[in-house]
Amino acid sequence: MDVMDELIVQEYFRLSKRISELKRHFSELRWEFYQQSMTTHLEYSSLGVVSCGFRPDKEIVNLYDRMALVERRIERNSFRNKHFNTYLDSLPADELKRLKSRYTGLKRGYVSMELLQKVATEIQEIETAICFREQLEPEPEQVTLSGDVLNDVTMMTEVFAL
């Protein structure tokens, strides 16, 4: 398991905090929009002194685009959080305790590579599900052949879902 996988697992343990931050940002977007001046003002440019005005037709569309983007991020992270917590609930209590002690707060505790690999695989499954929900092409799986023909054929049938 490399450093990137470690960071991704760590981010998955922080998803509920991230969702709260996004919800706060969502409410701030609207508040900030209505705090700006919507009156006309004078600007000096190469044309001289020109009257510039607030364009509500353009600015409202920009506001709603930004709000929709944040809303989609909240939905995706909620989906991640829901399925990751469901997976964590299926783990034995001692493994869950070790994972939480390592990735939330204390950064202590031994977690076996096998358990980390299972968590990383589950996260990859969640990310693939999100790609299918968003109608995106998921990243191709890395396949390494072992040299054993029977094992390699079994692995290839799993990858191609045959």
Side-chain angles (χ1 to χ4, degrees):
M1 185 167 203
D2 62 350
V3 176
M4 280 304 284
D5 289 337
E6 288 276 333
L7 291 173
I8 290 171
V9 171
Q10 194 171 14
E11 283 301 312
Y12 262 75
F13 273 98
R14 292 186 193 151
L15 277 174
S16 56
K17 182 179 178 182
R18 185 74 177 134
I19 291 169
S20 298
E21 290 171 357
L22 286 170
K23 286 179 179 178
R24 188 180 72 246
H25 180 62
F26 182 81
S27 63
E28 288 174 356
L29 278 174
R30 185 177 163 90
W31 183 83
E32 286 174 359
F33 178 78
Y34 286 106
Q35 295 304 310
Q36 68 182 335
S37 174
M38 297 183 193
T39 61
T40 60
H41 58 280
L42 297 176
E43 287 184 358
Y44 182 76
S45 68
S46 61
L47 300 174
V49 178
V50 182
S51 175
C52 294
F54 180 80
R55 298 286 312 257
D57 55 335
K58 291 183 179 178
E59 296 300 324
I60 292 289
V61 170
N62 289 338
L63 170 68
Y64 278 99
D65 285 345
R66 290 193 312 259
M67 289 172 71
L69 182 65
V70 172
E71 206 168 49
R72 281 184 49 217
R73 289 178 63 195
I74 290 170
E75 288 173 9
R76 282 195 304 262
N77 284 329
S78 296
F79 181 85
R80 285 181 179 109
N81 195 32
K82 173 186 162 193
H83 290 285
F84 187 64
N85 285 333
T86 302
Y87 173 71
L88 291 178
D89 291 341
S90 72
L91 291 175
D94 62 325
E95 289 181 350
L96 179 61
K97 183 179 177 182
R98 284 186 293 195
L99 279 170
K100 283 187 175 182
S101 70
R102 179 161 179 175
Y103 291 108
T104 57
L106 300 176
K107 309 275 189 252
R108 286 191 249 153
Y110 172 74
V111 180
S112 68
M113 287 304 287
E114 179 183 326
L115 177 59
L116 289 176
Q117 192 61 42
K118 287 191 323 188
V119 171
T121 302
E122 183 64 26
I123 289 173
Q124 186 177 12
E125 290 292 324
I126 293 169
E127 292 298 321
T128 302
I130 289 172
C131 287
F132 284 124
R133 281 183 65 186
E134 299 288 325
Q135 298 174 350
L136 300 171
E137 187 69 29
E139 290 184 24
E141 293 185 32
Q142 300 269 334
V143 177
T144 54
L145 301 177
S146 64
D148 180 20
V149 176
L150 187 56
N151 191 21
D152 291 345
V153 169
T154 305
M155 185 181 306
M156 294 301 256
T157 56
E158 289 175 8
V159 169
F160 295 121
L162 298 175

